[in-house]
Amino acid sequence: MGEAWGQMWDYLGSDAAWSGRNGLPSLLWAHLQLSLAALVLATIVALPPAILLGHVRRGALLAVSVVNIGRAVPSFAVIALLLPFSLRWGFGLGFWPTLVALVLLAIPPIFTNTYTGVRDVPAEAVEAARGMGMQPGELVRKVEVPVALPLILAGLRVSAVQIVATATLGALVGYRCLGTPIVAGFTKSDKGSLLAAAILVAVVALLVDGLFALSQRWLVPWRSARSRPVDNPEPEGPTP
Amino acid sequence: MRAQVAHVLAADEPFVRWSWVEDHLDDIRADAIEHVQLTALAVGIGFALAMAMALVAVRWRWTYGILAGFCAVLYSIPSVALFGILVPITGLGIVPAEIALVGYTLLILLRNIVAGIDGVPAHVREAADGMGYEPWRRVLRIDLPLALPAIIAGLRIATVTTVGLVTVASLVGKGGFGNLINDGLGRDFSTPVVVGTVLSVALAVALDIVFVVIERWTTPWARQEGGPRDTRLDPGAPVHTPLPVTITTQANPVAAAAAGAAGTARASGVGDG
Amino acid sequence: MRRQHKAVLAASLALGLLAAACGGDDDDGDDDAGGRDGPAISIGAQDFGESAILAEIYGQALEAEGFEVRQQGLGGFRELLFDTFEAGDINLAPEYVASELEFLNGGAGEATGDVDETLAKLEPLLEERGLVAFEPADAVDTNSFVVTQETADELGLETLSDLAEKGQGLTLGAPQDCEENAFCLPGLERVYGLDLSDNFTPLEAGVIPTSLKEGAIDVALLFSTDGRIAEEGWVLLEDDQGMLAADNVVPVATQELVDAYGDDLAEVLNEVSAALTTEDLIELNRRYDIDKEDADDIAADWLRENDLD
C-alpha cells in the first residue's frame, strides 16, 4: 500500500499527469461536462412531474417504486446494454450511453425528494394560500416549491454526488474522463494514476456535496438549518 | 413482443434466451445465495461498526465530525478504484468485497443512528435523567429505542444500496448476480446481463418491502400519514412515513441519509410499557 | 413498547452477527489432500473465455487421472497472477509464452517469433518466482488487429504494413492497457512506425466487437483466436514484420506442485498441450462467444474428441 502512495506522488510529479489528452485537467474537464449534463437533464426530466404529483398529492406508490428500482440497477449493465443501440442510432461510443445511464441514475432522488417536499407542505399553508385566492399555478410557484426547497435541494445534492462518482464508468466505453486512469490502473502494476484519479473523483464529489450544502443554507435563509429537522432531512451533525 | 425486440437488435440473438436460463438455474440460485450472504454480512458488520461509532460520537460530540468525515471519504471513493487498490493487498474473494461493501454502509448508518438519537426531544432526555437514569442506560433504554425509526430507515437504505453494490464485486469474483452480468458483458450475451440485472433489482425491492413492514411494525404511531398526529411533544410537527429519499449507485454509492431525519417520527409514548 | 424495541434492536444485531458468522465460513484455500497423495490443484483462470476454457481443459484432464482440482477465477486482475501463486491461492495456470515474458521483463521486447527461444528466456524469470513452465502447445493466441471486410477492401489492407502505409487516420479500439502493451501501440510504432495513439479509443474488452461491427472504430484489437473474426467475415491483418511474438499456450505451475507429483503431472499436461492446436482454440472460442456455451461443457467435449478424458 505504501508503494502505491509513492507511485501516486511520482505520477503527480510527472508531466504526463498534467498535460495533453490523458492529463488530469483534461480528464477532469470531460468528467465535469458529463456530470453537469446528466444533472441538468435529470432535473429537467424529473422536476416537473414530481412537482405536479406532489401538488395533487397523488402517486406515492410511483415515487417509492421509482426510487427502489433506480437504486438497485447496476449502472454499468445499463451502459453496456445501451451501447449497441447507441452505436446503431448514430450516437457513438462513450458520451451518450453513459449520459443516459447517469440520467436514469439521477432521476430517483430528485423525483422522490421533490415529490415528498411538495406533498408535505403543511396543509395549513396551502389552505391559507388558497384562502387568499391564489390560483394553482401561483400556489405551486409561491408557496409549495419554496417551502419544499430544502428537500428539493437535498435531492439534487444526492444526485449530483452520485453522478460525479458514477461518471467514471464512461471510461469503459470510450469516454475519456477520470475513470480512464482508474480502469487502466487495474491491469498495471503502477497504481499511481489510479490512486490520483480516484482521490480526485472523491474530492470533486465531496466538493459538489459541500457546494449543495452551502446552497441549501443560502437559498433557504428563512429557516435556520436546525429549527425543524423535518425540513432539513440532511443531518449535518449533532446539534451542539 | 420478443419478436419486436429481436428485430430491433437486428441479430438473431434474442434479448433473453430462456433455454439458457432454464439450463443455468443452479448457477442462478447459487448467485442468489451469494448475493444475499454478501449483503447480510456487509450490513451486519456495517451496523455493528456504525453503532459503535455513533455511541462514541454521541458521548464525545467532537468526534462526530471526524468519524463522519472518514466515512464520507470512504463513501466517495469509486468502488472500482477501491478494488484496484485493495486486491493486490488482500487478494481476491470475499475479503476485498466485504471491505468495500461494509465501508459504503458506514456513512448512511452512522448518520441515521446519530440523527435518530439526536431526534429524541430534549425534554424527554431531561425527564429520563431526572428519573435517575445513568447516561449509558438512558442511551440504551430511551434514546436508541426512540431512534429506532431512523435507524431502521438507515438500515433499509444501507441494505438496498448494498444489494446494488454487490454486483460490482464480481470484479473480485464475489458478485452474486453480478457474476451473471459480468459473464454476459464479456461475450456480448444479453441474457445473463438482463437476468442478473432484473434479479438484482428484484432482490432490492423485496428487501425494501421487508423493511417497510418492519418499520410499520415497530413504529405504529407513524403509520398514518395524515392520521392521528401526536402533538403532545412537538405541536405542529408533521409525522412522516419514512420515504426512501436516498439512492445508491452501482459504481459508487454516495448518498446523504436524507431519509434519516425525514423518517424520524416525532415520538410519543416514552413512558409506555 | 420499550421491550419490543429492545427486542428488535437485539434481533437486528444478532442477525448481523449471525450473517457475519454464516458468511464467514467460505471456501478458504485449505490444503485438502488431493485425490493422489499431494496438494489439491488450484487452477487460476483469467476473465476471458479462452482462459476459462483452457483452465477447464487442463483441469478436467487432471481430474480424469485422479487429481483433485479446483478452479479459481482471477477476475480482471492480470498482475495478480503472480501474487496468487505466491499466496498459494493457485498452483497452476494456463499462460502464453511471449506475453508472460514481456510481462515479467517489464516490456523489454525480448520475445521473438520462435517459441523455444522465447521460452528459454522466460524460464529463468519464472524460476525466480518458484514457478515452472511445461511444454508449450502449438496453439497460439496473440493480439490481432482486425478490420471489417469493407475497410479492408476500401483501403486495400491485408497486412500491418499496409495499415502503416494507408491507415494513419483510422481509429483503434483496444483495452486500456494497449498504450503500454508491447504487442499493441508501442509495438506498432516500434516495428511498423505506425503511431495510432491519437486515434486510440480505450474500450472494455467486451464492447470491442460490437464497436467494430457498428463502425464506431475502424480497427479492433482482438485475440487472434476470437471466433467472431471468422463469423463476421472480418479481416485479420497479417503481422508481416513479426511484431507479435510466440504466444503459445503453456501451463505454468509452482515448483511445489511439480515436486509433489513429478512426472505424472507433466505427462498429463504435456499430453493435453500436444493435442492443442490454434484451430482448436478458434473453434472453442466460437462455441463460447457465439454459441454461448459454457466453458466446462466445451472443455469436456474437446477432451472427449481427443481421447483425453
Side-chain angles (χ1 to χ4, degrees):
Chain A
M1 184 67 202
E3 201 194 334
W5 285 114
Q7 288 168 333
M8 185 185 81
W9 292 117
D10 286 339
Y11 171 72
L12 288 173
S14 74
D15 262 338
W18 301 102
S19 58
R21 211 171 39 150
N22 280 339
L24 289 175
S26 163
L27 298 174
L28 176 62
W29 179 228
H31 200 103
L32 290 173
Q33 279 180 307
L34 177 62
S35 304
L36 189 62
L39 185 63
V40 167
L41 212 52
T43 308
I44 294 176
V45 169
L47 217 52
I51 294 178
L52 180 63
L53 283 175
H55 173 73
V56 301
R57 284 158 177 81
R58 291 251 166 84
L61 187 60
L62 176 67
V64 173
S65 314
V66 160
V67 161
N68 285 349
I69 294 178
R71 208 196 299 231
V73 171
S75 300
F76 183 61
V78 170
I79 296 177
L81 286 172
L82 283 175
L83 190 67
F85 297 100
S86 172
L87 293 175
R88 224 166 274 154
W89 296 336
F91 286 102
L93 294 164
F95 186 78
W96 289 103
T98 315
L99 181 69
V100 172
L102 287 176
V103 166
L104 290 176
L105 186 70
I107 286 177
I110 300 177
F111 184 87
T112 305
N113 271 34
T114 305
Y115 168 79
T116 308
V118 170
R119 187 197 61 175
D120 289 346
V121 170
E124 305 91 53
V126 176
E127 301 296 321
R130 286 223 177 94
M132 276 162 39
M134 271 197 195
Q135 297 302 313
E138 275 183 294
L139 176 64
V140 168
R141 259 193 348 241
K142 295 189 182 168
V143 179
E144 289 181 325
V145 170
V147 171
L149 207 51
L151 262 172
I152 296 179
L153 285 174
L156 288 171
R157 176 178 175 180
V158 168
S159 273
V161 175
Q162 290 212 225
I163 289 175
V164 167
T166 315
T168 49
L169 290 181
L172 293 165
V173 288
Y175 186 66
R176 274 186 201 274
C177 59
L178 289 174
T180 307
I182 293 176
V183 177
F186 247 53
T187 53
K188 293 203 280 198
S189 44
D190 184 342
K191 304 283 181 191
S193 50
L194 187 159
L195 251 153
I199 292 179
L200 190 52
V201 172
V203 165
V204 172
L206 290 171
L207 278 176
V208 168
D209 190 57
L211 248 149
F212 270 95
L214 273 179
S215 69
Q216 272 178 291
R217 289 191 203 221
W218 242 11
L219 291 170
V220 195
W222 57 84
R223 279 223 214 294
S224 148
R226 307 244 194 291
S227 63
R228 282 162 58 114
V230 297
D231 291 329
N232 188 29
E234 194 72 33
E236 314 284 16
T239 334
Chain B
M1 163 68 180
R2 212 181 316 154
Q4 283 175 299
V5 175
H7 176 70
V8 167
L9 290 176
D12 34 70
E13 176 69 28
F15 211 45
V16 177
R17 212 193 266 194
W18 294 104
S19 57
W20 186 93
V21 176
E22 237 181 281
D23 291 334
H24 291 84
L25 282 176
D26 282 336
D27 291 331
I28 295 177
R29 193 181 318 126
D31 284 335
I33 295 176
E34 186 180 84
H35 207 114
V36 171
Q37 274 183 335
L38 287 167
T39 305
L41 188 58
V43 175
I45 298 178
F47 183 60
L49 287 175
M51 180 61 81
M53 284 196 281
L55 292 176
V56 167
V58 160
R59 170 70 179 81
W60 294 282
R61 288 281 144 166
W62 59 270
T63 59
Y64 182 75
I66 302 171
L67 289 169
F70 169 71
C71 293
V73 168
L74 260 185
Y75 206 19
S76 2
I77 302 177
S79 54
V80 169
L82 195 55
F83 286 134
I85 299 170
L86 282 176
V87 168
I89 307 172
T90 65
L92 293 166
I94 201 164
V95 173
E98 285 297 332
I99 292 178
L101 291 171
V102 167
Y104 290 127
T105 62
L106 291 178
L107 184 63
I108 299 168
L109 291 173
L110 176 64
R111 275 188 172 173
N112 269 40
I113 298 175
V114 169
I117 295 178
D118 278 353
V120 175
H123 40 124
V124 168
R125 284 192 226 161
E126 279 153 22
D129 287 337
M131 276 160 55
Y133 273 94
E134 295 146 2
W136 283 118
R137 290 194 75 207
R138 193 207 75 215
V139 166
L140 277 172
R141 306 192 105 208
I142 308 286
D143 296 357
L144 279 181
L146 287 177
L148 208 57
I151 294 178
I152 294 180
L155 280 170
R156 176 182 177 184
I157 297 165
T159 302
V160 177
T161 304
T162 306
V163 168
L165 278 175
V166 168
T167 54
V168 186
S170 63
L171 277 174
V172 293
K174 284 276 176 196
F177 293 127
N179 298 334
L180 289 167
I181 297 176
N182 221 32
D183 174 27
L185 291 178
R187 45 175 167 161
D188 222 359
F189 188 16
S190 56
T191 300
V193 177
V194 172
V195 171
T197 305
V198 166
L199 288 177
S200 178
V201 172
L203 180 62
V205 170
L207 287 175
D208 196 60
I209 292 176
V210 166
F211 273 100
V212 168
V213 168
I214 295 179
E215 274 171 339
R216 296 205 175 187
W217 177 54
T218 57
T219 59
W221 61 84
R223 207 177 282 143
Q224 312 295 340
E225 183 69 27
R229 296 175 183 189
D230 189 290
T231 54
R232 269 185 283 159
L233 302 178
D234 240 283
V239 170
H240 287 267
T241 46
L243 260 188
V245 290
T246 66
I247 72 169
T248 178
T249 174
Q250 186 39 40
N252 181 354
V254 182
T264 302
R266 292 283 126 234
S268 69
V270 97
D272 299 349
Chain C
M1 193 81 94
R2 213 187 298 159
R3 231 169 272 155
Q4 190 180 338
H5 287 164
K6 267 184 26 180
V8 172
L9 208 58
S12 350
L13 276 167
L15 201 67
L17 292 170
L18 189 69
C22 280
D25 49 292
D26 232 65
D27 46 334
D28 311 309
D30 29 306
D31 281 277
D32 317 326
R36 307 211 175 178
D37 287 325
I41 300 183
S42 177
I43 307 185
Q46 312 245 349
D47 73 339
F48 54 94
E50 189 175 278
S51 188
I53 298 172
L54 286 172
E56 281 288 340
I57 286 179
Y58 286 112
Q60 289 178 29
L62 288 167
E63 271 176 337
E65 295 296 322
F67 291 91
E68 184 169 325
V69 174
R70 207 169 50 113
Q71 298 284 344
Q72 170 78 46
L74 289 178
F77 295 88
R78 207 237 184 277
E79 85 270 17
L80 250 208
L81 183 71
F82 296 101
D83 293 333
T84 45
F85 266 128
E86 220 179 286
D89 285 336
I90 61 171
N91 44 29
L92 177 65
E95 273 296 312
Y96 302 90
V97 181
S99 294
E100 189 88 325
L101 174 62
E102 291 303 317
F103 187 77
L104 289 177
N105 68 16
E110 293 180 317
T112 70
D114 183 299
V115 62
D116 295 317
E117 207 183 312
T118 312
L119 186 62
K121 294 180 193 168
L122 175 62
E123 279 172 329
L125 292 174
L126 287 177
E127 209 182 308
E128 278 172 29
R129 290 171 170 74
L131 298 171
V132 175
F134 292 83
E135 275 170 33
D138 281 336
V140 168
D141 177 13
T142 65
N143 279 354
S144 69
F145 297 89
V146 176
V147 295
T148 59
Q149 187 68 55
E150 291 78 45
T151 313
D153 291 337
E154 206 183 299
L155 296 171
L157 298 174
E158 263 177 30
T159 67
L160 286 176
S161 295
D162 291 337
L163 187 68
E165 214 182 291
K166 307 170 204 174
Q168 269 94 357
L170 299 178
T171 49
L172 169 70
Q176 303 283 356
D177 67 348
C178 184
E179 279 167 340
E180 273 131 29
N181 187 339
F183 300 128
C184 197
L185 282 173
L188 282 176
E189 200 172 332
R190 193 187 60 212
V191 176
Y192 291 95
L194 174 61
D195 183 8
L196 284 176
S197 51
D198 283 335
N199 301 337
F200 165 56
T201 306
L203 294 171
E204 211 250 336
V207 305
I208 294 178
T210 309
S211 305
L212 181 66
K213 192 163 162 186
E214 301 294 337
I217 52 175
D218 299 311
V219 184
L221 183 81
L222 298 171
F223 290 137
S224 59
T225 53
D226 193 319
R228 282 169 286 214
I229 300 177
E231 184 83 6
E232 302 284 341
W234 289 334
V235 176
L236 199 166
L237 297 173
E238 196 193 318
D239 175 33
D240 51 317
Q241 290 192 40
M243 169 187 70
L244 300 165
D247 257 329
N248 298 53
V249 173
V250 63
V252 172
T254 56
Q255 186 65 53
E256 287 161 318
L257 198 64
V258 172
D259 292 337
Y261 294 117
D263 287 336
D264 288 343
L265 182 66
E267 211 179 292
V268 179
L269 294 176
N270 292 338
E271 212 184 332
V272 171
S273 301
L276 203 57
T277 66
T278 305
E279 287 71 37
D280 284 339
L281 288 184
I282 296 178
E283 175 61 16
L284 295 171
N285 282 329
R286 200 197 58 77
R287 289 180 64 179
Y288 187 80
D289 288 321
I290 296 172
D291 293 342
K292 320 289 190 199
E293 292 183 55
D294 290 335
D296 48 1
D297 291 332
I298 300 173
D301 287 346
W302 184 88
L303 287 169
R304 197 177 330 118
E305 283 159 21
N306 287 275
D307 286 322
L308 288 166
D309 55 350

